[in-house]
Amino acid sequence: MTHQVYGEGEQIFGYRNLFIKLFITAGRLNMYCEVEHSGMYESSKPGELKPDEVIPPLANLVPPNTILGSKSTFVAMIRKEASFRPFGEQISRHTIQEGGEERVFEMYLSDESTPGFTDYFERVQMFAMFYVDAASYIDNTDEKWRYFLVFEKYKSSDGASLYALAGFSTVYEFYGYPEHIRPRISQMLVLPPFQMMGVGSALLQAIYNKYIDDPKVLTIAVEDPSEVFGKMRLVLNCRNCLELTAFGVQNIKSGLTKQHYDEARTKLKLNKDCVRNVYNVLRFRATDRNDPEDCKAFRLFIKNQLYAPFRRQDKEKAKMEKHHLSQEEISELLSFVPKEKRSEIIHQEYLDLKAKFSAIVEKLPK
């Protein structure tokens, strides 16, 4: 996301064949920037444009002196990586098998009172500026923020244990009346070398585990989730709900009931929208694709939900007509979809959802 570093134009003026290398140690996040080019623009008159600065915009993203001034100093810092240990309390562990070897990821929880963590997280946030569009830095002095960081624990050639930052998530604990909290996940980023390994799901589950047994927690929400995060979250929610009685095969086809909402909220801290989305997927999973009547029942169930916005439109239109608004005035105030077009729209939405559900079911236990 270079526009968040060098401006909306995504341009650096005044260099030929410019190449920027930013080296970052995996644990402490010390940095060294190397700039290469084959020529710079040289102004011949006072007041002419000068080449843009390259390193200062990067340095503005991190605390002072984070980007080291010489390569030799940076190399010396690499040797100190063996003594780095993650901040905070270890709360979870995730392992994967790759090439016959085990890779280990550990999750840690910190807050603003964790010694040394505030300065460290100012370096961590830089990655959000690189990889998350419209990212912004949070106020890490606010005591209501919780920070979940994941590190890969690996061995050096001499057998020493080392840690590499693999990702992070921030959670803000909002107040809930009268003495409750409503945690909201604000950011989550898994760094590119560690994606597609289940690290994001493991990190989200670690966040869930932190809150689901706390009686003060009402529900766990997410702020403006991306499409990728939304899919990951839905898969994980489905897996967790499969362990609940209300979502068992014997109950899933009886319709979405208060039992589903209550058990998912009490045991998993899921809100109503999450419960409905999970139920839809698991209802699809339980539908016999070879049974026409079963398929029809599922199709009608989903289409009834999809028709809800149109029912609201009809009510709004009826209210406006009651107040003697003309059809032209109603059209200006309401994006009204004619009834003859609704069936086609709903059917396409149903097919899109069905394809989405199929992809999610493939990731669930058989």
Side-chain angles (χ1 to χ4, degrees), residues 126-140:
M126 176 194 64
F127 290 108
M129 301 300 289
F130 287 161
Y131 297 114
V132 180
D133 198 13
S136 60
Y137 282 8
I138 65 174
D139 177 10
N140 55 11

Side-chain angles (χ1 to χ4, degrees), residues 50 60 98 102 129 152 156 182 193 218 361 363-364:
K50 296 181 180 180
N60 289 337
E98 185 176 88
E102 184 179 68
M129 301 300 289
E152 180 176 19
S156 65
R182 294 181 181 273
L218 295 173
V361 167
K363 298 180 180 182
L364 300 179

Side-chain angles (χ1 to χ4, degrees), residues 219 237-238 240-284 286 301 305:
T219 56
N237 287 346
C238 287
N240 290 338
C241 283
L242 282 172
E243 302 296 321
L244 303 182
T245 302
F247 292 86
V249 177
Q250 67 276 14
N251 295 324
I252 203 68
K253 291 186 180 181
S254 60
L256 184 55
T257 66
K258 185 175 182 296
Q259 182 186 3
H260 294 102
Y261 287 117
D262 288 348
E263 189 173 12
R265 177 178 52 80
T266 303
K267 296 183 178 179
L268 300 177
K269 309 300 183 181
L270 299 184
N271 60 37
K272 287 187 175 182
D273 287 342
C274 285
V275 176
R276 183 171 58 252
N277 291 336
V278 167
Y279 179 86
N280 289 343
V281 172
L282 298 185
R283 172 77 179 264
F284 175 74
F301 174 76
Q305 293 181 37

Side-chain angles (χ1 to χ4, degrees), residues 38 116 119 156 190 228 265 288 325 352 356:
S38 60
D119 291 338
S156 65
V190 176
V228 172
R265 177 178 52 80
D288 184 352
L325 271 68
D352 293 342
K356 176 184 176 180

Side-chain angles (χ1 to χ4, degrees), residues 321-365:
E321 290 174 339
K322 187 176 180 180
H323 288 84
H324 306 293
L325 271 68
S326 67
Q327 292 302 314
E328 183 178 346
E329 290 173 322
I330 291 175
S331 298
E332 291 178 358
L333 297 171
L334 186 66
S335 298
F336 190 77
V337 178
K339 292 185 177 181
E340 61 270 17
K341 294 184 179 181
R342 295 178 181 180
S343 295
E344 182 180 350
I345 293 172
I346 289 175
H347 185 64
Q348 186 57 55
E349 290 178 344
Y350 166 75
L351 294 178
D352 293 342
L353 278 178
K354 187 178 176 183
K356 176 184 176 180
F357 294 165
S358 296
I360 292 172
V361 167
E362 287 296 316
K363 298 180 180 182
L364 300 179

Side-chain angles (χ1 to χ4, degrees), residues 82-276:
S83 63
F84 172 78
R85 292 295 179 268
F87 294 88
E89 170 195 3
Q90 183 183 342
I91 58 172
S92 186
R93 189 172 185 268
H94 171 67
T95 62
I96 63 169
Q97 295 295 323
E98 185 176 88
E101 296 186 359
E102 184 179 68
R103 295 183 66 173
V104 178
F105 295 88
E106 296 178 351
M107 286 72 175
Y108 290 81
L109 170 62
S110 297
D111 59 32
E112 52 87 28
S113 68
T114 304
F117 179 78
T118 299
D119 291 338
Y120 181 74
F121 191 72
E122 288 187 9
R123 302 184 182 197
V124 173
Q125 289 194 95
M126 176 194 64
F127 290 108
M129 301 300 289
F130 287 161
Y131 297 114
V132 180
D133 198 13
S136 60
Y137 282 8
I138 65 174
D139 177 10
N140 55 11
T141 63
D142 191 328
E143 63 182 13
K144 291 186 178 181
W145 283 109
R146 299 294 179 267
Y147 308 90
F148 297 80
L149 274 63
V150 53
F151 294 85
E152 180 176 19
K153 184 178 182 180
Y154 64 103
K155 299 288 186 181
S156 65
S157 57
D158 61 1
S161 292
L162 298 172
Y163 289 87
L165 178 69
F168 70 93
S169 183
T170 55
V171 177
Y172 194 83
E173 296 184 348
F174 285 91
Y175 167 75
Y177 181 84
E179 52 181 4
H180 295 87
I181 59 173
R182 294 181 181 273
R184 181 187 295 175
I185 299 171
S186 174
Q187 297 174 320
M188 178 177 285
L189 174 65
V190 176
L191 299 181
F194 307 99
Q195 293 175 3
M196 307 304 293
M197 296 182 183
V199 174
S201 293
L203 181 55
L204 181 56
Q205 185 63 59
I207 295 173
Y208 281 173
N209 292 344
K210 155 69 178 172
Y211 291 112
I212 57 177
D213 293 327
D214 187 343
K216 290 186 178 181
V217 173
L218 295 173
T219 56
I220 304 171
V222 180
E223 181 180 345
D224 298 327
S226 67
E227 183 178 352
V228 172
F229 181 90
K231 289 179 180 178
M232 179 190 74
R233 179 191 183 199
L234 181 52
V235 170
L236 185 59
N237 287 346
C238 287
R239 287 176 179 168
N240 290 338
C241 283
L242 282 172
E243 302 296 321
L244 303 182
T245 302
F247 292 86
V249 177
Q250 67 276 14
N251 295 324
I252 203 68
K253 291 186 180 181
S254 60
L256 184 55
T257 66
K258 185 175 182 296
Q259 182 186 3
H260 294 102
Y261 287 117
D262 288 348
E263 189 173 12
R265 177 178 52 80
T266 303
K267 296 183 178 179
L268 300 177
K269 309 300 183 181
L270 299 184
N271 60 37
K272 287 187 175 182
D273 287 342
C274 285
V275 176
R276 183 171 58 252

